[in-house]
Amino acid sequence: MAVTVDETEESSLLSTYIVYVTKPEGGVNSMESVDLDSFYQSFLPASLSRSDREQRLVYSYRHVANGFAAKLTAEEVKAMETKEGFVSAHVQKILTLHTTHTPNFLGLHQNLGFWKQSNFGKGVIIGVLDTGITPGHPSFSDAGMPPPPAKWKGKCEFDATACNNKLIGARTFQTDSKPTGGGDAADPPIDDEGHGTHTSSTAAGNFVEGASVFGQANGTAAGIAPLAHLAMYKVCGEAGCAESDILAGMDTAIDDGADVLSLSLGGGSAPFYADSIAMGAFSATQKGIFVSCSAGNEGPSYGTLSNEAPWILTVGASTVDRIFLASAQWNGNGYEGESIFQPKDFPSTQLPLVYAGADGNESAAVCAAGSLSSNDVQGKIVLCERGGGIGRIVKGQTVKDAGGVAMILMNDELNGYSTLADPHVLPATHVSFAAGTSIKAYINSTSSPTAAVLFGGTVIGKKSAPEVTSFSSRGPSFASPGILKPDIIGPGVNILAAWPISVENITNTKSTFNVISGTSMSCPHLSGVAALLKGSHPDWSPAAIKSAIMTSADIVNLEGKPIVDQDLLPADLFAVGSGHVNPSKANDPGLIYDIQPDDYIPYLCGLNYTDQEVGSIVQRTVSCSNESSIPEAQLNYPSFSIILGSSTPQTYTRTVTYVGQGNATYNFELVSLEGVDVSLKPEQIMFTETNQKATFSVTFTKTQKTGVAAFSQGYLNWVSGLHTVRSPIVVIFE
């Protein structure tokens, strides 16, 4: 019966609360919308008139929660505690956004293989919850698109011509622009930020020839599932993404008939009963809808994840093999960096070089606004440090305003070798921490330092790709340490996709694109992959699709070496999860680890949640004392996260389903797990028909060889003549 109230909040101040209540007899799904509104309004203050109650009720949730969103005071919520059926309430949180070549990099080619076999996602509906969309952009053309499936029930809040067979739905859910219930009276879901247009076209943009930004990355742009249908649910704006709006968008997407939900947003770690995305995603999973979410941009520190629930695909970010080469050269040395803005008329000659922070001025070191003197930087290339809470492009504007002719932006130590290609406002290159440190040493060694910035255009074929980028959030999961997260990594660095306006100020075209980075970009890549798999295997559950993606992932880069992180060291499993997505392999995984929605109940009870907390997630009465409560690691998950505090063995079981053809024999293989003894029973499993299941047990025992390592990692593989079904293992030592 908990009510979460900010102690500093005025008791008379109206805030949007999420209110959870006990499901009425027969359930909310069986109620008409008018009856549902009336039921929820019965919890509002009796002193309010009927019209006031209607005004105060912001959203009535049907699928994602037994509850509603309403504008209430703290006193009113306190009084609501005494009403029969009241469970809990809290002030809504504001979540944040996690903000063409990639299909080819992922092995998807227009007339070959899995892309063609999956029919490019035709007939699958991807619902995107984001900042809106730009109708009329060529990426959302319906050329070659069939009408939406008969099950589709969505609406388009643009004018009649804006939606089509590609963009089949568009709704706005924003409490600040629409104070009363439903999305109907809101402004149309135009994308004023660019984020939603970019993520939507990444997931399912149609083929657009001649896409480029500043003349770079020229080619045909396409989403991962270019013939899938799109529906936009605008739940985010300039101020962020309100929790009540996210729940309303997910609720509507479920009702509309979406097959895949893509959410490039999050609010950090929280127990699943207090995590609106986790709760909405569980309801979607119950309806057979796949949910893909960004892991967050708070890396490279450990324990920085969002969207950790095991029924969500949690996606980290990696690089692709394309770079936008911009090199810094000085004193016979040179380091590669990146920039999307590459002016052709910038001289390649050596120019005076200055580091404004040489005298200890930290503001000048990070090129804060107003920190640079024109006397110091006029006509010079300026070395700026990353950080200080100042945007990378803003730093360039500061240099330009002070009369600098170019910028070398160096990483801080935390970001290491992870660089980004930005549309800078002046000639610039973003270089590594090592490069910047070398440049600093050079500047300090001479009275007249000089440098040049050289532009090399778009370069494809970087063999160290994919690399985990520094900003990609890392595990372990706080909400559930016994589940390894993130699940997967995918392209999220320097991604070209649709944009509402021209970043080059070109006014005579709608074919406008931009290059941006974030786990916001990797998430829709995986949403698109899920749509392809849904089209190819319509009978697979969301957990089966997720398993196929995870167990088939790549763990080496293009030159066959381990995937590295921002320090160019082998990335650990808290960074890569199962590895880098390989769509073609995911289409034929051999074995899958399936999970049905009710299988999560013993797992949730095992997290020591109360009956009420578990019930709020699964939306039915649960008695954990009557459930077979299980430890986290016992969930039939495609990976293992084990916490070993002693030498007492821990044994867990898994069940795999054979999704291949004909007879098959799989043999157990363990790869590099130090300090732990692993035994499996049986070590060989045989299948004679599709969909046959087999159960095995695996026992983990801590040995005396662990030393001072905080954790050990490796892989449990099932190997046949055609497949390697790989499950990553992390063992955390206590």
Side-chain angles (χ1 to χ4, degrees):
M1 300 293 182
V3 178
T4 306
V5 179
D6 188 337
E7 293 180 354
T8 64
E9 182 185 13
E10 294 290 340
S11 62
S12 60
L13 182 67
L14 282 176
S15 298
T16 300
Y17 280 80
I18 312 293
V19 181
Y20 297 100
V21 299
T22 301
K23 181 184 292 187
E25 190 172 341
V28 297
N29 290 336
S30 63
M31 301 177 72
E32 297 291 335
S33 59
V34 174
D35 294 336
L36 187 60
D37 286 352
S38 298
F39 171 69
Y40 288 147
Q41 286 174 22
S42 70
F43 289 88
L44 301 183
S47 59
L48 295 176
S49 67
R50 179 178 177 180
S51 64
D52 284 344
R53 286 198 298 271
E54 291 174 349
Q55 290 287 320
R56 293 280 202 95
L57 185 66
V58 180
Y59 296 116
S60 295
Y61 301 126
R62 179 176 297 275
H63 301 286
V64 295
N66 292 326
F68 58 93
K71 292 188 179 297
L72 298 162
T73 68
E75 286 182 343
E76 289 170 340
V77 176
K78 189 70 176 174
M80 197 184 295
E81 281 187 305
T82 62
K83 297 201 173 188
E84 184 179 354
F86 175 85
V87 174
S88 65
H90 66 268
V91 177
Q92 72 169 355
K93 295 176 285 189
I94 304 299
L95 281 65
T96 57
L97 296 163
H98 290 155
T99 226
T100 50
H101 168 70
T102 49
N104 285 352
F105 179 66
L106 295 178
L108 300 173
H109 302 278
Q110 192 161 351
N111 296 307
L112 299 170
F114 175 43
W115 218 8
K116 186 177 181 180
Q117 293 164 13
S118 67
N119 220 358
F120 305 97
K122 185 178 289 187
V124 179
I125 301 167
I126 302 177
V128 181
L129 282 78
D130 216 296
T131 62
I133 199 165
T134 306
H137 192 286
S139 290
F140 309 125
S141 160
D142 65 354
M145 294 287 303
K151 69 171 184 174
W152 175 246
K153 298 190 296 184
K155 297 179 181 179
C156 179
E157 291 178 356
F158 292 122
D159 61 45
T161 60
C163 288
N164 54 27
N165 287 334
K166 164 60 73 176
L167 180 60
I168 61 174
R171 304 284 299 274
T172 296
F173 299 90
Q174 292 195 280
T175 51
D176 55 353
S177 65
K178 179 201 63 60
T180 57
D184 295 339
D187 294 331
I190 291 289
D191 186 9
D192 298 318
E193 311 296 322
H195 192 274
T197 298
H198 198 280
T199 56
S200 297
S201 65
T202 299
N206 213 330
F207 296 96
V208 182
E209 295 181 356
S212 67
V213 178
F214 292 111
Q216 303 302 313
N218 192 40
T220 298
I224 299 302
L227 295 187
H229 304 285
L230 273 170
M232 169 55 65
Y233 301 88
K234 182 174 181 177
V235 299
C236 303
E238 187 176 357
C241 316
E243 190 178 13
S244 64
D245 298 332
I246 296 167
L247 279 170
M250 298 181 82
D251 201 59
T252 303
I254 293 169
D255 207 41
D256 286 348
D259 298 304
V260 176
L261 295 185
S262 186
L263 293 88
S264 292
L265 50 96
S269 181
F272 302 140
Y273 57 82
D275 183 338
S276 292
I277 293 178
M279 294 183 66
F282 189 87
S283 298
T285 300
Q286 287 178 310
K287 306 292 194 302
I289 301 169
F290 187 92
V291 183
S292 172
C293 294
S294 47
N297 297 340
E298 304 303 318
S301 299
Y302 288 118
T304 51
L305 292 165
S306 294
N307 303 315
E308 301 156 292
W311 49 86
I312 290 172
L313 183 73
T314 309
V315 187
S318 53
T319 65
V320 298
D321 66 337
R322 178 184 63 195
I323 61 172
F324 303 105
L325 183 60
S327 300
Q329 290 194 352
W330 70 96
N331 196 35
N333 298 302
Y335 281 90
E336 291 184 354
E338 295 193 82
S339 174
I340 193 67
F341 175 58
Q342 303 202 1
K344 295 180 180 179
D345 57 352
F346 188 69
S348 59
T349 54
Q350 294 280 312
L351 297 170
L353 172 66
V354 62
Y355 170 55
D359 60 356
N361 185 334
E362 292 185 8
S363 293
V366 297
C367 297
S371 65
L372 302 181
S373 166
S374 60
N375 292 332
D376 295 331
V377 305
Q378 185 75 36
K380 297 178 181 178
I381 298 174
V382 181
L383 175 66
C384 296
E385 294 182 13
R386 187 175 178 178
I390 303 161
R392 298 179 302 275
I393 297 174
V394 174
K395 294 175 188 285
Q397 187 67 56
T398 299
V399 172
K400 185 177 181 180
D401 291 344
V405 296
M407 174 179 69
I408 299 174
L409 176 64
M410 66 169 284
N411 265 345
D412 54 13
E413 187 172 8
L414 195 64
N415 285 287
Y417 289 86
S418 289
T419 59
L420 302 167
D422 291 311
H424 290 289
V425 297
L426 82 172
T429 180
H430 182 181
V431 300
S432 68
F433 175 71
T437 301
S438 181
I439 296 172
K440 274 189 188 180
Y442 163 62
I443 291 173
N444 291 332
S445 71
T446 178
S447 59
S448 301
T450 63
V453 176
L454 306 178
F455 298 110
T458 303
V459 178
I460 293 175
K462 187 176 182 182
K463 294 298 183 183
S464 61
E467 303 170 8
V468 183
T469 189
S470 59
F471 62 71
S472 186
S473 288
R474 268 53 167 190
S477 166
F478 278 144
S480 184
I483 299 294
L484 177 60
K485 292 282 182 169
D487 293 306
I488 197 79
I489 56 172
V493 179
N494 300 338
I495 303 303
L496 181 141
W499 201 249
I501 59 172
S502 170
V503 294
E504 305 169 65
N505 294 320
I506 299 173
T507 58
N508 62 348
T509 181
K510 291 184 177 180
S511 187
T512 49
F513 295 85
N514 197 7
V515 170
I516 58 176
S517 301
T519 54
S520 279
M521 285 63 256
S522 52
C523 167
H525 278 91
L526 271 296
S527 304
V529 171
L532 295 178
L533 293 171
K534 186 88 171 178
S536 184
H537 301 280
D539 58 327
W540 281 6
S541 69
I545 293 173
K546 181 178 184 180
S547 173
I549 290 171
M550 291 172 63
T551 63
S552 63
D554 292 331
I555 60 172
V556 295
N557 60 24
L558 292 180
E559 56 184 347
K561 297 179 180 178
I563 294 172
V564 299
D565 62 15
Q566 73 283 348
D567 294 322
L568 303 185
L569 299 173
D572 62 43
L573 296 182
F574 292 127
V576 300
S578 296
H580 188 271
V581 61
N582 186 321
S584 297
K585 286 185 178 179
N587 187 47
D588 180 23
L591 305 175
I592 57 172
Y593 294 80
D594 207 357
I595 305 173
Q596 298 306 314
D598 280 354
D599 296 340
Y600 292 107
I601 294 175
Y603 157 80
L604 292 169
C605 290
L607 290 175
N608 294 320
Y609 290 174
T610 66
D611 293 349
Q612 192 175 84
E613 289 164 347
V614 176
S616 68
I617 297 170
V618 304
Q619 295 188 56
R620 66 175 175 85
T621 301
V622 171
S623 175
C624 283
S625 61
N626 294 329
E627 297 284 344
S628 301
S629 178
I630 61 171
E632 299 162 80
Q634 179 60 28
L635 186 68
N636 200 44
Y637 212 66
S639 60
F640 292 85
S641 180
I642 310 298
I643 301 171
L644 284 179
S646 69
S647 58
T648 302
Q650 295 183 18
T651 300
Y652 303 99
T653 60
R654 290 289 190 273
T655 298
V656 290
T657 303
Y658 178 54
V659 292
Q661 301 293 323
N663 296 339
T665 299
Y666 284 82
N667 292 295
F668 159 66
E669 176 185 72
L670 182 70
V671 180
S672 63
L673 193 67
E674 296 182 3
V676 182
D677 179 71
V678 179
S679 61
L680 214 76
K681 293 181 180 180
E683 294 190 355
Q684 183 182 82
I685 48 180
M686 302 176 68
F687 301 95
T688 57
E689 59 184 3
T690 304
N691 293 325
Q692 186 177 348
K693 298 180 185 297
T695 297
F696 64 92
S697 65
V698 54
T699 299
F700 300 92
T701 306
K702 184 178 180 180
T703 68
Q704 301 303 312
K705 303 176 183 178
T706 55
V708 294
F711 62 90
S712 182
Q713 57 185 15
Y715 297 93
L716 186 162
N717 299 337
W718 286 109
V719 183
S720 73
L722 297 175
H723 300 94
T724 296
V725 183
R726 183 182 299 108
S727 290
I729 304 170
V730 167
V731 177
I732 303 171
F733 300 119
E734 287 189 333

